[in-house]
Amino acid sequence: MPTPRHPAPPWDVERWFNTDVPLSLQTLRGKVIVLEAFQMLCPGCVSHGLPQILRVRDAFPADRVAVIGLHTVFEHHHAMTPDALAAFLHEYRIDFPVAVDRHDGRSPIPATMHAYGLRGTPSLVVIDAHGDIRHHAFGQIGDLQLGARIGTLLAEDDAAPARRCRDDACEIDTTTSLGAIGQQQRAAVALKA
Amino acid sequence: MPTPRHPAPPWDVERWFNTDVPLSLQTLRGKVIVLEAFQMLCPGCVSHGLPQILRVRDAFPADRVAVIGLHTVFEHHHAMTPDALAAFLHEYRIDFPVAVDRHDGRSPIPATMHAYGLRGTPSLVVIDAHGDIRHHAFGQIGDLQLGARIGTLLAEDDAAPARRCRDDACEIDTTTSLGAIGQQQRAAVALKA
Amino acid sequence: MPTPRHPAPPWDVERWFNTDVPLSLQTLRGKVIVLEAFQMLCPGCVSHGLPQILRVRDAFPADRVAVIGLHTVFEHHHAMTPDALAAFLHEYRIDFPVAVDRHDGRSPIPATMHAYGLRGTPSLVVIDAHGDIRHHAFGQIGDLQLGARIGTLLAEDDAAPARRCRDDACEIDTTTSLGAIGQQQRAAVALKA
Amino acid sequence: MPTPRHPAPPWDVERWFNTDVPLSLQTLRGKVIVLEAFQMLCPGCVSHGLPQILRVRDAFPADRVAVIGLHTVFEHHHAMTPDALAAFLHEYRIDFPVAVDRHDGRSPIPATMHAYGLRGTPSLVVIDAHGDIRHHAFGQIGDLQLGARIGTLLAEDDAAPARRCRDDACEIDTTTSLGAIGQQQRAAVALKA
């Protein structure tokens, strides 16, 4: 079922792991973003979601596809604190950037999880190079399907006129002109190995 | 590593299974073709290649992606006859079209395997909607990578001007005009579910 | 490598989960005990050790084989508190008895882990019906090997003269006499299904 | 469910693979025999039964446990000839002794399969050191259960008075006397590693 395209809400983050600078949709503009919403004590996240996103990280070049974890704690808050998450990330050798979704102290649902309307964990959100949500899944999705969605977004981006993005704006780059051959070459390098 | 694009050689087939009419690159023109070259007594084909291509068959709509098996016997010819293959396909419940690659009685290597330059089995060949080989792999390839390649070809095809294909020729369909929105919609339906 | 037989040290437990009454070597005397020492944030415990011990629980009758978890926290103490363990057991649906190994506030190594000389987690300790340690493994052990060790202890116990055990003493039951046939029958029922 | 103990029928074999001399219940007397009845084109045999029996071969010492394959072709006879089996064993690197069950040319069911009353493939038959069938399973059995049955038979054998077996007779060896310690030592070496 096609997911309607709409702008990804901003991330409301309490703390980042595995990155020196805070990340945002703006700083990642121009890349496909694969966002994994998880909880450290969620069995499906540990057995399926996180291993899958590590495979995504290994399969695609970092300058085209950004892999981001979002720790969306909506239950057992006392057991899944940021400090406990630090131990979890260390033990599971998760070294891609992970954001801790912010709690306002009133709702058990953290802010970004609420803004994205996520039903639970694991949830996968695929955001295109323009910052639009293009896929949204709760539970498990197969590697073939996920690979196809990422490949589609990469190819779309390759077929589009070249852009220069800065801050939250992108303009068409009139200094380059990409013909059919150029597009193929870019598509060809969109996969490692 | 990008595989150079070149026209897929025709298939030289001794016998077809699971199809009422013989298939060819021409009859499948307009679809992405995922061709799995296998041998029924090849362990990597049984444990990896064939299960993967069954997943491909289930993940993509049949009117966009055609899944074809090619039985390329280059060893143990006495044990992997077409009749033995029939028993194998029955037991393993393989119900997509499978072609038996033709032997000329001189070389142990069958004709299509030779024409495609395949190194062994399993080998995977991905052919785009225009009949060009776009990917070529011996051994195992992950689902994410294969999904991304198929997704890329589907999106490319969606971005291209509409065509009408008949026999071995396709012409641009000037009666339709596809803008960015149309392309997205087509991409969105390229995945089942 | 044969593990020397010696009496299992008593368990020094801070808190029990999934049992109404505290358990001990004495209360379980007469059963084979399979003890899994684990930490909730230990990846090998989550992916291998705990699923294996759940299979043990399902494969053997509860009146012959007792399955016990021992939470031996020796690192990340702040993240693996008994309360966090409660959430973990709930999420992973672990419903066999689990003991929290006691800390004395000085050493990071808890008391029972120290007494048993465990190197880390997961560790598996198999204790026979007399309370003697018969197998001791750090890391992963295959199901065939573990099954064989349990089967060996069950058969040994079947071949031994019948005993009556109470508290920490067992005496030979001179009211019964078990011949070869009786032994076989007992061995035959030592496996469910 | 306990399997009644009864003498294993002799094997009626057309041809042996992976052994220089024909094997029989008599030549293997004194060992636990794990017999895997399979067909080379049976998916459950390829994915479960044969990998399991290879693990059995690796887990137990060859002088205590004998692993034997029995090719019981009851369907697709033209596709599973002994010559085809030779290619299969080569490709799947199966190097333990495999017997081809004999056909009398009348029934599709081969002789040994009929004598053992096997329902299909894969079937597993466990025979004790005295030549009695002790376990009999059609389909899949877990490694824990299989390991326990083998461990039980090894321990039983260790607890029994020492015997000298020659040809098809075994006599009690009155030159040795095994006490509790001796039994434990023998049990301890019944598992590799």
Side-chain angles (χ1 to χ4, degrees):
Chain A
M1 211 161 41
T3 308
R5 171 189 295 211
H6 57 264
W11 303 334
D12 195 355
V13 172
E14 208 169 303
R15 179 170 161 189
W16 279 94
F17 289 97
N18 299 328
T19 172
D20 293 331
V21 293
L23 301 176
S24 70
L25 292 165
Q26 281 69 36
T27 59
L28 297 170
R29 186 63 54 88
K31 298 185 184 185
V32 172
I33 301 171
V34 182
L35 181 76
E36 176 79 12
F38 74 103
Q39 293 183 107
M40 58 178 276
L41 294 185
C42 150
C45 302
V46 168
S47 67
H48 178 79
L50 293 168
Q52 182 177 55
I53 207 158
L54 281 163
R55 291 195 297 275
V56 170
R57 197 264 312 268
D58 292 341
F60 297 93
D63 62 345
R64 300 295 309 275
V65 177
V67 160
I68 303 289
L70 179 66
H71 199 229
T72 52
V73 180
F74 62 92
E75 56 187 346
H76 307 302
H77 297 81
H78 67 284
M80 297 193 276
T81 61
D83 280 354
L85 177 63
F88 174 86
L89 298 176
H90 175 77
E91 290 304 318
Y92 279 85
R93 302 182 188 191
I94 292 174
D95 54 5
F96 53 79
V98 172
V100 177
D101 199 357
R102 188 185 304 278
H103 283 94
D104 64 4
R106 289 189 302 268
S107 165
I109 312 294
T112 314
M113 183 178 192
H114 179 75
Y116 278 71
L118 304 180
R119 288 174 52 196
T121 56
S123 282
L124 194 72
V125 182
V126 183
I127 299 168
D128 69 18
H130 306 279
D132 287 333
I133 292 180
R134 298 295 292 280
H135 180 65
H136 195 136
F138 170 60
Q140 302 197 356
I141 171 179
D143 276 14
L144 274 172
Q145 285 89 341
L146 179 55
R149 290 185 185 278
I150 297 171
T152 296
L153 298 190
L154 291 173
E156 245 184 53
D157 194 44
D158 288 332
R163 303 180 309 281
R164 275 189 305 239
C165 294
R166 63 174 72 87
D167 295 336
D168 58 354
C170 295
E171 60 178 339
I172 292 175
D173 183 351
T174 54
T175 64
T176 60
S177 149
L178 291 167
I181 304 249
Q183 291 170 31
Q184 293 161 37
Q185 288 173 335
R186 283 203 286 163
V189 297
L191 277 174
K192 288 184 187 170
Chain B
M1 210 162 42
T3 308
R5 172 189 295 211
H6 57 264
W11 303 334
D12 195 354
V13 172
E14 207 169 304
R15 180 171 162 188
W16 280 94
F17 288 97
N18 300 330
T19 173
D20 293 330
V21 292
L23 302 176
S24 70
L25 292 166
Q26 280 70 36
T27 59
L28 297 171
R29 185 64 54 89
K31 298 185 184 186
V32 172
I33 300 171
V34 182
L35 183 75
E36 176 79 15
F38 73 102
Q39 293 183 107
M40 57 178 276
L41 296 185
C42 149
C45 302
V46 168
S47 68
H48 179 80
L50 292 169
Q52 182 178 55
I53 206 158
L54 282 164
R55 289 195 299 275
V56 170
R57 197 267 309 269
D58 292 340
F60 296 94
D63 62 344
R64 300 297 308 276
V65 176
V67 160
I68 304 289
L70 180 65
H71 199 228
T72 51
V73 180
F74 62 91
E75 58 187 345
H76 308 302
H77 297 81
H78 67 284
M80 297 193 276
T81 61
D83 280 354
L85 177 63
F88 174 85
L89 297 177
H90 175 77
E91 291 303 319
Y92 280 85
R93 301 182 189 190
I94 292 174
D95 54 5
F96 54 78
V98 172
V100 177
D101 200 356
R102 188 186 304 280
H103 283 96
D104 65 4
R106 289 189 301 270
S107 165
I109 310 293
T112 314
M113 185 179 190
H114 179 75
Y116 278 72
L118 304 180
R119 289 173 50 196
T121 56
S123 280
L124 193 72
V125 182
V126 182
I127 299 168
D128 69 17
H130 306 279
D132 287 334
I133 293 179
R134 297 295 292 281
H135 180 65
H136 194 138
F138 171 60
Q140 303 197 357
I141 170 180
D143 276 15
L144 274 173
Q145 286 88 341
L146 178 55
R149 291 186 185 278
I150 296 172
T152 296
L153 297 189
L154 290 173
E156 243 184 56
D157 195 43
D158 288 329
R163 304 181 309 282
R164 276 189 305 237
C165 295
R166 63 175 71 87
D167 296 337
D168 60 353
C170 294
E171 60 178 339
I172 293 175
D173 183 350
T174 54
T175 64
T176 59
S177 150
L178 292 167
I181 304 248
Q183 291 171 33
Q184 293 161 35
Q185 288 173 334
R186 284 203 286 164
V189 298
L191 277 173
K192 288 182 188 171
Chain C
M1 211 161 40
T3 308
R5 172 188 297 212
H6 58 266
W11 304 334
D12 195 353
V13 172
E14 207 169 302
R15 178 171 164 189
W16 280 95
F17 288 97
N18 300 328
T19 173
D20 292 331
V21 293
L23 302 176
S24 71
L25 293 165
Q26 281 70 35
T27 60
L28 298 170
R29 186 63 54 88
K31 298 186 184 186
V32 172
I33 300 171
V34 183
L35 182 76
E36 176 79 14
F38 74 103
Q39 293 183 109
M40 57 177 276
L41 295 185
C42 149
C45 302
V46 168
S47 68
H48 178 80
L50 292 169
Q52 183 177 55
I53 208 158
L54 282 164
R55 289 194 299 274
V56 170
R57 197 263 314 266
D58 292 341
F60 297 94
D63 62 344
R64 299 296 308 276
V65 176
V67 161
I68 303 288
L70 179 65
H71 199 228
T72 53
V73 180
F74 63 92
E75 56 186 346
H76 307 303
H77 298 80
H78 67 285
M80 297 192 276
T81 60
D83 280 353
L85 177 63
F88 173 85
L89 297 176
H90 175 77
E91 290 303 319
Y92 279 86
R93 301 180 188 193
I94 292 174
D95 54 5
F96 54 79
V98 173
V100 177
D101 200 357
R102 189 185 304 280
H103 283 95
D104 64 3
R106 288 188 303 270
S107 165
I109 311 293
T112 314
M113 184 178 190
H114 179 75
Y116 277 72
L118 304 181
R119 290 174 51 198
T121 56
S123 282
L124 194 72
V125 182
V126 183
I127 299 168
D128 69 18
H130 306 279
D132 287 334
I133 291 180
R134 297 294 293 280
H135 179 66
H136 194 137
F138 170 59
Q140 304 197 356
I141 169 180
D143 276 15
L144 275 172
Q145 286 89 341
L146 178 55
R149 291 185 185 278
I150 296 171
T152 296
L153 297 189
L154 290 173
E156 242 184 56
D157 194 44
D158 288 330
R163 304 180 309 282
R164 276 189 304 239
C165 294
R166 62 174 72 86
D167 294 336
D168 59 352
C170 295
E171 62 178 338
I172 293 175
D173 182 351
T174 54
T175 64
T176 59
S177 150
L178 292 166
I181 304 248
Q183 290 171 32
Q184 294 160 35
Q185 288 173 333
R186 283 204 287 163
V189 297
L191 276 175
K192 287 184 189 171
Chain D
M1 210 162 41
T3 308
R5 172 188 295 212
H6 57 262
W11 302 333
D12 195 355
V13 172
E14 209 170 302
R15 179 169 162 189
W16 280 94
F17 289 96
N18 300 330
T19 172
D20 292 331
V21 293
L23 303 176
S24 70
L25 292 165
Q26 281 70 37
T27 58
L28 298 171
R29 187 63 54 91
K31 298 185 185 187
V32 173
I33 302 172
V34 182
L35 182 76
E36 176 80 13
F38 73 102
Q39 294 183 106
M40 58 178 276
L41 295 185
C42 150
C45 303
V46 168
S47 67
H48 178 79
L50 293 169
Q52 182 178 55
I53 207 158
L54 282 165
R55 290 195 298 275
V56 170
R57 197 264 313 269
D58 292 341
F60 296 94
D63 62 344
R64 300 294 308 276
V65 177
V67 160
I68 304 289
L70 179 66
H71 199 228
T72 52
V73 179
F74 62 92
E75 57 186 346
H76 307 303
H77 298 81
H78 67 283
M80 298 193 275
T81 61
D83 281 355
L85 177 63
F88 173 85
L89 297 176
H90 175 77
E91 290 303 320
Y92 279 84
R93 302 183 187 191
I94 291 173
D95 54 6
F96 54 78
V98 172
V100 177
D101 200 357
R102 188 184 304 278
H103 282 96
D104 63 5
R106 288 189 303 270
S107 166
I109 311 293
T112 313
M113 183 179 191
H114 179 75
Y116 278 71
L118 304 180
R119 288 174 51 197
T121 55
S123 281
L124 194 73
V125 182
V126 182
I127 300 167
D128 69 18
H130 307 278
D132 287 334
I133 293 179
R134 297 296 292 282
H135 179 66
H136 195 137
F138 169 60
Q140 302 197 357
I141 172 180
D143 276 15
L144 275 173
Q145 286 89 341
L146 179 55
R149 290 184 185 279
I150 296 171
T152 296
L153 297 189
L154 291 173
E156 244 184 54
D157 195 44
D158 289 330
R163 304 180 309 280
R164 277 190 304 239
C165 295
R166 62 174 72 85
D167 296 335
D168 59 355
C170 296
E171 62 179 337
I172 292 174
D173 184 351
T174 54
T175 63
T176 60
S177 150
L178 291 167
I181 305 249
Q183 291 170 31
Q184 291 161 38
Q185 288 173 334
R186 284 204 285 163
V189 298
L191 277 175
K192 290 184 187 167

